[in-house]
Structure formats: structure tokens, C-alpha cells
């Protein structure tokens, strides 16, 4: 909604359109903040106290997708992930829970069954992962979530900064 309206106003280029754009950006920011507050509150309430929330560290990760149709390009990159993580962290701490960020490296390329890390096992177009080593198949987003959960388990087991590393024999 906001993206379409913004494009329309930018195309006009008039002084009044620029004023509307400024007003619109404030409204969009307030809406996004509200969504992030409600989402973080729901997560903390649903999972209760003494919960570990594991998030991917998305610092430096680009969501620029020139291969997508123009209408879909800004959907991912406009979401306020940093703000959501901040809200979740402070609300989790109020509820005796913890939030950690783990490295996003190889989480969508690692087989959760045999541990093989191979970029070519993932098919971006079909959102599918197929391990060439053990034959395991899954949705690539589900696979990433399973690997992030494993990193959280490693953190609970005492590993300070759990991450996956590419070994020479993989």
C-alpha cells in the first residue's frame, strides 16, 4: 500500500506531493513499529519465561533482489528486522528470557541430518533443499530454521558463539 502510494507521489514531483511523502513516511514508520511491538509481545507471551529466542545475525546481509518482479523487490528489504530484534530483546529480558543472534552463514546450505554443507544442494527457485550426500529433502526455509535451532541448542550446551563452518572434507 505504502509503496504504491509513494511511487505515485514521487512521479508527480510537486511541492504538495513532497509534503504528502513526508507525512506518509511517518505513518509507515509508526505502522511498522506497531507491528514489531505486537509481534515481539506475542512471541514473549506465547513462549513464556525462561525461553531462548535464537535469531540470525542479518548484519551485512543484503535483501536486494533484482531477479524479482518490481512489485516484490522492496517487500523484504523494507522490513525493520533490527527494530524487531531490539523489541524482542527488551521484552524477553523483562520476562526472564534471552535472545541471541547466531551467524547466518551456511544455515540454508547445511544438511541437518548428515552435516554436509554444499551450496548447490539448495534450489532457490523451488525453495527446496536436496542433500546430495544422504538424500534428505526439505523446504529451504524449514531447513534454515532447523539449523538455527541447532545453533541455539549448541549455545545452551555452553558454546559461546555457535556457528557452522565449511570443512575441507565436506
Amino acid at each position: 500500500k505504502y509503496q504504491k502510494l509513494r511511487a505515485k507521489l514521487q512521479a508527480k514531483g510537486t511541492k504538495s506531493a513532497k509534503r504528502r511523502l513526508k507525512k506518509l513516511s511517518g505513518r509507515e514508520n509508526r505502522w511498522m513499529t506497531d507491528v514489531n511491538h505486537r509481534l515481539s509481545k506475542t512471541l514473549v507471551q506465547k513462549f513464556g519465561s525462561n525461553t531462548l529466542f535464537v535469531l540470525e545475525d542479518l548484519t551485512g546481509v543484503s535483501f536486494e533482489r533484482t531477479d524479482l518482479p518490481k512489485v516484490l523487490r522492496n517487500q523484504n528489504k523494507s522490513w525493520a528486522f533490527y527494530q524487531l530484534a531490539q523489541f524482542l530483546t527488551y521484552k524477553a529480558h523483562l520476562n526472564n528470557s534471552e535472545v541471541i543472534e547466531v551467524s547466518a552463514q551456511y544455515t540454508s546450505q547445511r544438511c541437518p541430518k548428515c552435516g554436509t554443507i554444499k551450496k548447490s544442494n539448495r534450489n532457490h527457485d523451488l525453495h527446496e533443499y536436496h542433500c546430495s550426500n544422504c538424500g534428505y529433502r526439505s523446504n529451504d526455509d524449514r531447513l534454515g530454521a532447523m539449523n538455527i535451532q541447532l545453533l541455539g541448542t549448541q549455545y545452551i550446551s555452553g558454546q559461546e558463539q555457535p556457528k557452522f563452518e565449511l570443512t575441507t572434507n565436506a
Side-chain angles (χ1 to χ4, degrees), residues 24-38:
L24 181 69
S25 75
R27 188 180 317 149
E28 185 177 14
N29 288 337
R30 287 189 301 277
W31 174 79
M32 186 62 71
T33 299
D34 181 56
V35 169
N36 282 336
H37 263 299
R38 286 188 284 141

PDB file of all heavy atoms in Angstrom, residues 24-38:
ATOM      1  N   LEU A  24       3.539  10.599   4.816  1.00  0.00           N
ATOM      2  CA  LEU A  24       3.380   9.170   4.571  1.00  0.00           C
ATOM      3  C   LEU A  24       4.489   8.357   5.237  1.00  0.00           C
ATOM      4  O   LEU A  24       4.237   7.302   5.816  1.00  0.00           O
ATOM      5  CB  LEU A  24       3.361   8.900   3.070  1.00  0.00           C
ATOM      6  CG  LEU A  24       3.167   7.457   2.618  1.00  0.00           C
ATOM      7  CD1 LEU A  24       1.745   7.012   2.935  1.00  0.00           C
ATOM      8  CD2 LEU A  24       3.433   7.336   1.137  1.00  0.00           C
ATOM      9  N   SER A  25       5.730   8.864   5.170  1.00  0.00           N
ATOM     10  CA  SER A  25       6.845   8.115   5.762  1.00  0.00           C
ATOM     11  C   SER A  25       6.662   7.978   7.270  1.00  0.00           C
ATOM     12  O   SER A  25       6.948   6.934   7.847  1.00  0.00           O
ATOM     13  CB  SER A  25       8.180   8.777   5.438  1.00  0.00           C
ATOM     14  OG  SER A  25       8.373   9.936   6.212  1.00  0.00           O
ATOM     15  N   GLY A  26       6.164   9.037   7.914  1.00  0.00           N
ATOM     16  CA  GLY A  26       5.909   8.968   9.352  1.00  0.00           C
ATOM     17  C   GLY A  26       4.843   7.938   9.673  1.00  0.00           C
ATOM     18  O   GLY A  26       4.964   7.160  10.618  1.00  0.00           O
ATOM     19  N   ARG A  27       3.790   7.900   8.867  1.00  0.00           N
ATOM     20  CA  ARG A  27       2.699   6.944   9.087  1.00  0.00           C
ATOM     21  C   ARG A  27       3.196   5.513   8.892  1.00  0.00           C
ATOM     22  O   ARG A  27       2.876   4.604   9.667  1.00  0.00           O
ATOM     23  CB  ARG A  27       1.553   7.237   8.118  1.00  0.00           C
ATOM     24  CG  ARG A  27       0.323   6.419   8.426  1.00  0.00           C
ATOM     25  CD  ARG A  27      -0.829   6.673   7.485  1.00  0.00           C
ATOM     26  NE  ARG A  27      -1.029   8.075   7.188  1.00  0.00           N
ATOM     27  CZ  ARG A  27      -1.501   8.517   6.033  1.00  0.00           C
ATOM     28  NH1 ARG A  27      -1.819   7.678   5.064  1.00  0.00           N
ATOM     29  NH2 ARG A  27      -1.670   9.798   5.818  1.00  0.00           N
ATOM     30  N   GLU A  28       3.998   5.302   7.841  1.00  0.00           N
ATOM     31  CA  GLU A  28       4.537   3.969   7.568  1.00  0.00           C
ATOM     32  C   GLU A  28       5.456   3.514   8.700  1.00  0.00           C
ATOM     33  O   GLU A  28       5.402   2.360   9.131  1.00  0.00           O
ATOM     34  CB  GLU A  28       5.302   3.971   6.244  1.00  0.00           C
ATOM     35  CG  GLU A  28       5.788   2.615   5.808  1.00  0.00           C
ATOM     36  CD  GLU A  28       6.483   2.642   4.465  1.00  0.00           C
ATOM     37  OE1 GLU A  28       6.832   3.733   3.978  1.00  0.00           O
ATOM     38  OE2 GLU A  28       6.678   1.552   3.904  1.00  0.00           O
ATOM     39  N   ASN A  29       6.289   4.410   9.217  1.00  0.00           N
ATOM     40  CA  ASN A  29       7.187   4.071  10.330  1.00  0.00           C
ATOM     41  C   ASN A  29       6.404   3.711  11.587  1.00  0.00           C
ATOM     42  O   ASN A  29       6.757   2.764  12.295  1.00  0.00           O
ATOM     43  CB  ASN A  29       8.150   5.225  10.625  1.00  0.00           C
ATOM     44  CG  ASN A  29       9.204   5.368   9.554  1.00  0.00           C
ATOM     45  OD1 ASN A  29       9.500   4.417   8.836  1.00  0.00           O
ATOM     46  ND2 ASN A  29       9.756   6.560   9.425  1.00  0.00           N
ATOM     47  N   ARG A  30       5.340   4.468  11.865  1.00  0.00           N
ATOM     48  CA  ARG A  30       4.517   4.158  13.043  1.00  0.00           C
ATOM     49  C   ARG A  30       3.832   2.806  12.888  1.00  0.00           C
ATOM     50  O   ARG A  30       3.733   2.024  13.834  1.00  0.00           O
ATOM     51  CB  ARG A  30       3.486   5.269  13.281  1.00  0.00           C
ATOM     52  CG  ARG A  30       4.088   6.541  13.832  1.00  0.00           C
ATOM     53  CD  ARG A  30       3.020   7.542  14.267  1.00  0.00           C
ATOM     54  NE  ARG A  30       2.114   7.937  13.193  1.00  0.00           N
ATOM     55  CZ  ARG A  30       2.370   8.876  12.290  1.00  0.00           C
ATOM     56  NH1 ARG A  30       3.516   9.530  12.324  1.00  0.00           N
ATOM     57  NH2 ARG A  30       1.474   9.178  11.354  1.00  0.00           N
ATOM     58  N   TRP A  31       3.355   2.513  11.673  1.00  0.00           N
ATOM     59  CA  TRP A  31       2.707   1.223  11.419  1.00  0.00           C
ATOM     60  C   TRP A  31       3.698   0.074  11.630  1.00  0.00           C
ATOM     61  O   TRP A  31       3.390  -0.921  12.284  1.00  0.00           O
ATOM     62  CB  TRP A  31       2.144   1.199   9.995  1.00  0.00           C
ATOM     63  CG  TRP A  31       1.588  -0.146   9.618  1.00  0.00           C
ATOM     64  CD1 TRP A  31       0.375  -0.666   9.976  1.00  0.00           C
ATOM     65  CD2 TRP A  31       2.241  -1.142   8.842  1.00  0.00           C
ATOM     66  NE1 TRP A  31       0.242  -1.930   9.446  1.00  0.00           N
ATOM     67  CE2 TRP A  31       1.378  -2.246   8.746  1.00  0.00           C
ATOM     68  CE3 TRP A  31       3.474  -1.215   8.205  1.00  0.00           C
ATOM     69  CZ2 TRP A  31       1.707  -3.398   8.055  1.00  0.00           C
ATOM     70  CZ3 TRP A  31       3.799  -2.365   7.511  1.00  0.00           C
ATOM     71  CH2 TRP A  31       2.921  -3.435   7.433  1.00  0.00           C
ATOM     72  N   MET A  32       4.912   0.226  11.080  1.00  0.00           N
ATOM     73  CA  MET A  32       5.931  -0.824  11.200  1.00  0.00           C
ATOM     74  C   MET A  32       6.333  -1.025  12.671  1.00  0.00           C
ATOM     75  O   MET A  32       6.493  -2.157  13.127  1.00  0.00           O
ATOM     76  CB  MET A  32       7.157  -0.463  10.359  1.00  0.00           C
ATOM     77  CG  MET A  32       8.205  -1.544  10.311  1.00  0.00           C
ATOM     78  SD  MET A  32       7.653  -3.085   9.584  1.00  0.00           S
ATOM     79  CE  MET A  32       7.530  -2.619   7.896  1.00  0.00           C
ATOM     80  N   THR A  33       6.463   0.067  13.395  1.00  0.00           N
ATOM     81  CA  THR A  33       6.801  -0.021  14.815  1.00  0.00           C
ATOM     82  C   THR A  33       5.715  -0.759  15.579  1.00  0.00           C
ATOM     83  O   THR A  33       5.997  -1.615  16.420  1.00  0.00           O
ATOM     84  CB  THR A  33       7.011   1.393  15.400  1.00  0.00           C
ATOM     85  OG1 THR A  33       8.092   2.011  14.701  1.00  0.00           O
ATOM     86  CG2 THR A  33       7.345   1.342  16.881  1.00  0.00           C
ATOM     87  N   ASP A  34       4.469  -0.461  15.270  1.00  0.00           N
ATOM     88  CA  ASP A  34       3.347  -1.128  15.933  1.00  0.00           C
ATOM     89  C   ASP A  34       3.346  -2.629  15.641  1.00  0.00           C
ATOM     90  O   ASP A  34       3.156  -3.451  16.541  1.00  0.00           O
ATOM     91  CB  ASP A  34       2.027  -0.493  15.481  1.00  0.00           C
ATOM     92  CG  ASP A  34       0.825  -1.132  16.148  1.00  0.00           C
ATOM     93  OD1 ASP A  34       0.792  -1.157  17.406  1.00  0.00           O
ATOM     94  OD2 ASP A  34      -0.075  -1.626  15.432  1.00  0.00           O
ATOM     95  N   VAL A  35       3.574  -2.995  14.384  1.00  0.00           N
ATOM     96  CA  VAL A  35       3.619  -4.414  14.008  1.00  0.00           C
ATOM     97  C   VAL A  35       4.747  -5.124  14.769  1.00  0.00           C
ATOM     98  O   VAL A  35       4.549  -6.208  15.329  1.00  0.00           O
ATOM     99  CB  VAL A  35       3.804  -4.581  12.484  1.00  0.00           C
ATOM    100  CG1 VAL A  35       4.127  -6.020  12.125  1.00  0.00           C
ATOM    101  CG2 VAL A  35       2.561  -4.128  11.750  1.00  0.00           C
ATOM    102  N   ASN A  36       5.918  -4.500  14.822  1.00  0.00           N
ATOM    103  CA  ASN A  36       7.055  -5.110  15.527  1.00  0.00           C
ATOM    104  C   ASN A  36       6.785  -5.242  17.022  1.00  0.00           C
ATOM    105  O   ASN A  36       7.143  -6.243  17.637  1.00  0.00           O
ATOM    106  CB  ASN A  36       8.334  -4.316  15.275  1.00  0.00           C
ATOM    107  CG  ASN A  36       8.922  -4.597  13.917  1.00  0.00           C
ATOM    108  OD1 ASN A  36       8.684  -5.639  13.331  1.00  0.00           O
ATOM    109  ND2 ASN A  36       9.691  -3.665  13.402  1.00  0.00           N
ATOM    110  N   HIS A  37       6.132  -4.236  17.617  1.00  0.00           N
ATOM    111  CA  HIS A  37       5.778  -4.319  19.045  1.00  0.00           C
ATOM    112  C   HIS A  37       4.815  -5.478  19.288  1.00  0.00           C
ATOM    113  O   HIS A  37       5.014  -6.279  20.213  1.00  0.00           O
ATOM    114  CB  HIS A  37       5.127  -3.019  19.515  1.00  0.00           C
ATOM    115  CG  HIS A  37       6.071  -2.076  20.176  1.00  0.00           C
ATOM    116  ND1 HIS A  37       6.764  -2.383  21.319  1.00  0.00           N
ATOM    117  CD2 HIS A  37       6.447  -0.823  19.838  1.00  0.00           C
ATOM    118  CE1 HIS A  37       7.515  -1.355  21.663  1.00  0.00           C
ATOM    119  NE2 HIS A  37       7.356  -0.395  20.773  1.00  0.00           N
ATOM    120  N   ARG A  38       3.781  -5.561  18.461  1.00  0.00           N
ATOM    121  CA  ARG A  38       2.788  -6.619  18.665  1.00  0.00           C
ATOM    122  C   ARG A  38       3.383  -8.008  18.445  1.00  0.00           C
ATOM    123  O   ARG A  38       3.084  -8.942  19.185  1.00  0.00           O
ATOM    124  CB  ARG A  38       1.580  -6.393  17.758  1.00  0.00           C
ATOM    125  CG  ARG A  38       0.700  -5.247  18.260  1.00  0.00           C
ATOM    126  CD  ARG A  38      -0.596  -5.109  17.499  1.00  0.00           C
ATOM    127  NE  ARG A  38      -0.305  -4.482  16.213  1.00  0.00           N
ATOM    128  CZ  ARG A  38      -0.885  -4.828  15.067  1.00  0.00           C
ATOM    129  NH1 ARG A  38      -1.770  -5.777  15.045  1.00  0.00           N
ATOM    130  NH2 ARG A  38      -0.573  -4.211  13.950  1.00  0.00           N
TER     131      ARG A  38
END
